[in-house]
Amino acid sequence: MILPIYIYGQPVLRKVSEDIPKDFPELEELTANMFETLAASEGIGLAAPQIGRNIRVVVIDLDLISDDKPEYKGFKKVFINPHIVEYDESETETMEEGCLSLPGIHEKVKRPTRIRVRWEDSERNEHDEWVDDYLARVMQHEFDHLDAKMFIDRIAPLRKTMIKNKLKSLTLGKYRCGYRTKPVRK
């Protein structure tokens, strides 16, 4: 089932998400719906708060970019209760980011290129590993949602001032995008 994506201004996007227990009901159905929603919106990552749920669940599908980054061919994973436990600040990279919850807004964001993450997979097996390059960026972006942050919180204050009217338009439901959304008001 394709779910609506919550747009900037929705309170759920600014609440810290909680870990889910091992016996969380309907997790398989939820993640299947998240992947279907992600595909319909042509995104590469989706966090549960973006569909109105304050739980620590993220889906990432990098197959969409595999023409440019062949190492991600077939990459499609669920991350349950993910946490970034360490940032390797020795190398950073600035890249343009966008977000399904911020349609039409793209800004340059500086992030570390290497992070250490802990999470559970869809079988609830625990993982603790260092991740680098583009996947590290996508994880940071998506895991930020779980901690009530958005990429616009990581841009320079001047840039944020410059997009203030676009952000206000989003809260008023004045935007266009090609996927199902749940605006604050119409």
Side-chain angles (χ1 to χ4, degrees), residues 30-43:
L30 173 68
T31 57
N33 289 343
M34 288 176 73
F35 275 121
E36 190 175 347
T37 301
L38 184 62
S41 61
E42 297 181 358

Side-chain angles (χ1 to χ4, degrees), residues 21-30 53:
K22 294 276 187 200
D23 61 347
F24 187 81
E26 300 167 8
L27 181 60
E28 191 174 330
E29 180 183 356
L30 173 68
R53 306 284 300 268

Side-chain angles (χ1 to χ4, degrees), residues 49-180:
Q50 293 179 275
I51 57 160
R53 306 284 300 268
N54 278 124
I55 56 175
R56 294 189 80 86
V57 177
V58 167
V59 298
I60 296 176
D61 185 347
L62 296 181
D63 193 57
L64 190 66
I65 62 164
S66 63
D67 287 346
D68 294 328
K69 296 182 180 293
E71 65 270 28
Y72 296 122
K73 182 77 177 155
F75 185 100
K76 185 176 179 177
K77 287 188 180 179
V78 174
F79 297 88
I80 300 165
N81 298 333
H83 293 272
I84 297 172
V85 293
E86 193 173 345
Y87 293 88
D88 179 352
E89 302 278 353
S90 65
E91 194 174 320
T92 60
E93 184 176 38
T94 301
M95 288 179 69
E96 189 173 89
E97 292 186 19
C99 181
L100 297 173
S101 293
L102 293 157
I105 297 177
H106 296 84
E107 292 291 328
K108 291 182 187 242
V109 180
K110 181 178 177 181
R111 295 189 188 268
T113 59
R114 188 169 183 257
I115 57 171
R116 183 173 155 222
V117 293
R118 283 192 189 127
W119 83 94
E120 298 169 25
D121 60 29
S122 57
E123 304 297 317
R124 303 306 297 259
N125 297 310
E126 294 181 11
H127 298 266
D128 183 334
E129 68 181 345
W130 284 94
V131 178
D132 54 17
D133 299 322
Y134 193 72
L135 178 57
R137 174 170 293 275
V138 174
M139 285 178 155
Q140 288 173 80
H141 177 105
E142 297 306 330
F143 297 176
D144 270 357
H145 282 296
L146 305 177
D147 294 322
K149 293 184 177 88
M150 301 180 87
F151 81 86
I152 55 170
D153 300 328
R154 299 193 179 278
I155 63 176
L158 177 60
R159 288 297 312 154
K160 194 155 184 185
T161 299
M162 293 175 76
I163 64 169
K164 187 173 81 173
N165 287 338
K166 286 183 182 180
L167 294 173
K168 183 171 173 86
S169 291
L170 292 177
T171 65
L172 297 173
K174 297 178 181 177
Y175 60 88
R176 291 177 188 250
C177 63
Y179 47 88
R180 193 170 161 215

